[in-house]
Amino acid sequence: MALPKKGIRKIEYEGHTYGWLIRSKPTYTQGAFQSPMTIGIQELDCEMPKVLYVTLNIDRPDNWLSSHQTQITPNIIRNIIKGAIEEGRVFNEGGAAYEYEFGVIKNA
């Protein structure tokens, strides 16, 4: 499985190019029940990419109950990639997606 090319953002980390994507609209549970925000990340310059499916400890800023202004910045994406690699995740071996949890400080 790979991320769709439409809407993907690119980022460089240690000589590799990664793509990351946040859904443009919340799922129903993300919008109505404040379930966590998710991000998909994969290496772009390899033959068999493996997706890192990241669950954050924050809800989406566009949820329907309590909005906030927390932004996911390129620096946060680099920290996610760095943490995943340190835990032994390999982005270029294909197969089922990895699941990974990452903590972000929520801005009120």
Side-chain angles (χ1 to χ4, degrees), residues 11-88:
I11 190 166
E12 296 284 328
Y13 180 74
E14 292 190 355
H16 296 277
T17 303
Y18 295 88
W20 62 282
L21 181 68
I22 300 173
R23 289 177 55 102
S24 60
K25 296 180 182 177
T27 63
Y28 180 77
T29 58
Q30 288 174 333
F33 303 110
Q34 294 179 294
S35 48
M37 179 187 277
T38 56
I39 300 173
I41 302 173
Q42 77 178 30
E43 188 173 342
L44 297 178
D45 52 2
C46 69
E47 288 188 30
M48 296 178 50
K50 190 165 194 169
V51 175
L52 180 69
Y53 183 73
V54 183
T55 302
L56 303 176
N57 66 329
I58 59 171
D59 50 324
R60 288 180 60 107
D62 57 355
N63 75 73
W64 307 327
L65 299 175
S66 64
S67 62
H68 57 85
Q69 299 300 313
T70 304
Q71 294 180 345
I72 302 302
T73 62
N75 192 41
I76 291 173
I77 299 299
R78 281 188 195 91
N79 288 335
I80 291 171
I81 294 169
K82 178 183 176 189
I85 291 171
E86 287 174 354
E87 285 190 12

